[in-house]
Amino acid sequence: MHPNPFPGLTARSLGLTDLDAAFAVYAADEVVDAGTLAIEKDDIEGDWARPSFDLAHDTIGVFEGQRLLGAAEVTRAGSRAEGAVAPSARGRGIGSWLVGWTERRATEMGSALVGQSTPEESAASRLLAGRGYRLGHTSWVLELPAGHSVLDRPLPEGYAIVTGDDPPRERAAHDVIDTAFAQWPGRAPEPYEDWAATTVRRPGREPWQLRVAETASGQVVAACFTILDSQGCGFVHQLAVDQAHRGQGLARAMLADGFAAAREHGATRSELATDSRTGALDLYLGVGMVVSQTWTYLVTDLPRGQ
């Protein structure tokens, strides 16, 4: 148990029995600030299942009796925080208290900075900016307009797209994705077991969700993992191409394939997210996608006050 943040409230670490309550808080906060619901309970459950994540130490909840009013967590070796306050509990200082907790926890974990993604011009972004946070990078959610699809293009000769439905392909897909993403500024490598918890071991995962591009010799050189959410959205969660095989249209082919696979399994919408570190925005705009949301990743140096 942590010291009471305010009279009448208590703070403690979250446990698996708090999953439903935490999802409800994160979801309600997102609807108010972003105008739409994207987070799924499976997202939180997958995140909490990562071996690097210590649920007892890396989470906090603020309660009024048994009711969860706000929650926060710190992940990725202390470099990333998430937090939310139930809309009905805003204006009581809970958000500021949670941000302070994330900064202290990240400092304990040895991180030199901590950041959080917030919808642009939201209450959360204003809170962080007021504490002196600065822009780390900008993210965009893009969608295909109704009735549109990414035009499929023939694969270059010598490549094939197949389902990544066995452990060797899953490992190879992780290698391609993690190597590509590690080229982004400030992005640390992600161990396979952590990656798997949010992709190939995500609750409800089906084999079709991971698709890979292979050479004639069986080398995996591109990977795409697509989530079909409870609202019928096919969301390309991760897409990467090995650097030596770029410039041949593989990324566009994998994107078209991922969206098509989701539609075959019931998706009625197609979305993805990218950010300013990747240089991929023009690719997605070029295939007819449009920006539906803008998010800002705001960061601060640690320890605070120095």
Side-chain angles (χ1 to χ4, degrees), residues 238-257:
Q238 291 182 333
L239 171 63
V241 178
D242 180 89
Q243 188 169 15
H245 296 265
R246 294 174 189 169
Q248 303 183 72
L250 286 177
R252 179 165 179 161
M254 295 296 293
L255 180 64
D257 179 82

Side-chain angles (χ1 to χ4, degrees), residues 2-287:
H2 297 259
N4 288 359
F6 306 99
L9 305 184
T10 58
R12 63 166 173 81
S13 301
L14 299 176
L16 291 177
T17 57
D18 298 308
L19 178 62
D20 287 343
F23 169 67
V25 168
Y26 279 113
D29 180 89
E30 183 177 67
V31 168
V32 170
D33 272 1
T36 187
L37 178 63
I39 192 170
E40 300 262 301
K41 187 168 72 172
D42 289 347
D43 297 329
I44 300 173
E45 187 173 356
D47 284 341
W48 286 7
R50 287 174 294 171
S52 68
F53 188 63
D54 186 342
L55 192 60
H57 295 91
D58 298 342
T59 65
I60 193 71
V62 176
F63 293 81
E64 188 170 48
Q66 298 300 309
R67 180 186 172 218
L68 180 64
L69 302 182
E73 55 195 69
V74 179
T75 63
R76 304 193 185 282
S79 66
R80 187 178 184 94
E82 303 288 348
V85 177
S88 61
R90 290 185 176 182
R92 300 171 64 176
I94 295 171
S96 295
W97 189 88
L98 289 172
V99 172
W101 179 87
T102 64
E103 293 165 356
R104 294 189 297 274
R105 177 57 186 151
T107 300
E108 292 172 355
M109 296 169 76
S111 182
L113 59 80
V114 65
Q116 184 171 333
S117 288
T118 63
E120 189 177 45
E121 301 300 327
S122 65
S125 68
R126 292 191 291 271
L127 170 62
L128 296 179
R131 293 176 70 89
Y133 280 56
R134 64 185 184 274
L135 180 64
H137 59 263
T138 301
S139 300
W140 303 277
V141 177
L142 297 101
E143 63 181 0
L144 275 174
H148 288 65
S149 62
V150 178
L151 294 179
D152 195 7
R153 286 186 174 177
L155 280 173
E157 186 177 353
Y159 296 93
I161 296 178
V162 299
T163 300
D165 56 354
D166 58 58
R169 285 188 173 123
E170 292 174 355
R171 292 272 182 178
H174 167 257
D175 288 344
V176 168
I177 291 169
D178 201 55
T179 300
F181 288 10
Q183 296 169 354
W184 303 352
R187 206 273 187 182
E190 182 177 35
Y192 173 78
E193 295 296 333
D194 274 14
W195 175 82
T198 61
T199 54
V200 296
R201 295 179 191 161
R202 186 178 186 273
R205 180 257 177 164
E206 297 181 6
W208 68 266
Q209 292 177 260
L210 178 63
R211 299 279 282 171
V212 299
E214 294 181 336
T215 64
S217 63
Q219 178 190 3
V220 171
V221 297
C224 177
F225 187 83
T226 305
I227 293 170
L228 177 58
D229 71 17
S230 60
Q231 302 178 78
C233 178
F235 187 87
V236 168
H237 173 59
Q238 291 182 333
L239 171 63
V241 178
D242 180 89
Q243 188 169 15
H245 296 265
R246 294 174 189 169
Q248 303 183 72
L250 286 177
R252 179 165 179 161
M254 295 296 293
L255 180 64
D257 179 82
F259 284 153
R263 287 195 301 272
E264 290 171 1
H265 288 82
T268 57
R269 295 186 296 116
S270 301
E271 291 185 346
L272 56 76
T274 190
D275 68 53
S276 53
R277 298 171 298 174
T278 70
L281 180 61
D282 287 344
L283 166 66
Y284 302 131
L285 293 175
V287 299

